[in-house]
Amino acid sequence: MKWDWSAVSDFMPHFWDGLLVTLQALALGSLISFTLGLVWALLLRTPTRWVRWPVGVVTEFVRNTPLLVQLFFLFYVLPEWGLTFSALTTGVFAIGLHYSTYTMQVYRAGIEAVPAGQWEAATALSLPARRTWAVVILPQALRRVVPPLGNYVISMLKDTPILMSITVLEMLGQARLFSQQHFQFTEPVTVIGVAFIVISYLASLLLRTLERRLVR
């Protein structure tokens, strides 16, 4: 099969549009998953059972149902209840919500890895709970969770093509549309595959650099 460079040239404007959408979905989805995951982890440590129980039920339900099902529910079912959002907004929230149930476990492991002596020292100094978390516990826990959180960033990147199912034209969506219009599949799909590899590699390098700086 002959490689058609003109097809690559024709596809590149579509590729850049798709890349921008992919990076937006990845950045915002990561922000939601990291923030919401920390909230879940802290709520699960509250002494009130009536807080822990609903949080545990919700996070278990989200973690054990497919992302595609959640995406369809948010995009197709919520409008019937009067809640309508753009396709990209829905996709970003679905990815962030889904992965927050995984980052929650990462945060919980990081918090539990903080030595008991640190808690005892904060108690001995009569630090209030909020200051104990902000100054003593979370800074130590966050340094431990950077590598596994980085793995989930790459997982979210690889899940962005699922947004194509709700009409979001991320990279693969643009490749599919171009291929259907021009009957050329090899070039656009190959370009997308290479792009995912490059982005994943650059993200892993960035996360390693961040990890080394936090360890100092």
Side-chain angles (χ1 to χ4, degrees):
M1 180 178 296
K2 185 179 179 181
W3 181 265
D4 188 352
W5 286 105
S6 64
V8 175
S9 178
D10 293 340
F11 172 65
M12 290 312 294
H14 304 276
F15 166 76
W16 295 119
D17 291 341
L19 176 62
L20 179 60
V21 173
T22 296
L23 294 179
Q24 286 178 337
L26 176 62
L28 296 176
S30 298
L31 180 62
I32 293 173
S33 69
F34 293 164
T35 304
L36 195 54
L38 181 58
V39 172
W40 296 141
L42 294 178
L43 289 176
L44 285 174
R45 293 186 64 89
T46 59
T48 306
R49 191 178 77 177
W50 297 110
V51 173
R52 295 197 314 269
W53 184 81
V55 170
V57 170
V58 170
T59 54
E60 283 297 319
F61 176 81
V62 173
R63 186 166 59 248
N64 289 288
T65 53
L67 174 57
L68 184 60
V69 173
Q70 297 165 17
L71 192 61
F72 278 13
F73 180 86
L74 293 174
F75 189 69
Y76 293 108
V77 178
L78 286 188
E80 297 182 3
W81 298 350
L83 297 173
T84 303
F85 304 96
S86 69
L88 181 58
T89 300
T90 301
V92 165
F93 181 74
I95 290 176
L97 175 64
H98 184 79
Y99 276 93
S100 71
T101 61
Y102 293 94
T103 59
M104 172 194 71
Q105 300 294 348
V106 174
Y107 285 123
R108 187 164 68 173
I111 292 170
E112 292 176 353
V114 175
Q118 299 295 313
W119 296 90
E120 296 168 358
T123 302
L125 293 172
S126 299
L127 293 179
R130 181 176 299 180
R131 186 166 177 80
T132 298
W133 280 102
V135 178
V136 180
I137 305 303
L138 287 181
Q140 296 182 63
L142 292 178
R143 281 195 288 267
R144 292 177 166 87
V145 302
V146 169
L149 288 181
N151 292 334
Y152 285 122
V153 170
I154 295 175
S155 294
M156 280 185 273
L157 170 65
K158 292 188 290 186
D159 271 348
T160 54
I162 204 172
L163 301 184
M164 179 175 55
S165 64
I166 58 168
T167 73
V168 176
L169 291 178
E170 39 65 64
M171 288 195 295
L172 187 59
Q174 290 284 2
R176 181 185 179 186
L177 181 63
F178 180 87
S179 299
Q180 290 173 342
Q181 292 175 342
H182 297 83
F183 301 101
Q184 293 173 305
F185 295 87
T186 302
E187 292 81 5
V189 173
T190 302
V191 169
I192 295 305
V194 172
F196 272 108
I197 293 173
V198 171
I199 297 172
S200 297
Y201 179 70
L202 293 177
S204 65
L205 290 179
L206 178 62
L207 290 165
R208 288 176 197 168
T209 302
L210 179 60
E211 181 184 357
R212 285 196 296 267
R213 289 187 177 182
L214 289 175
V215 170
R216 291 177 183 176

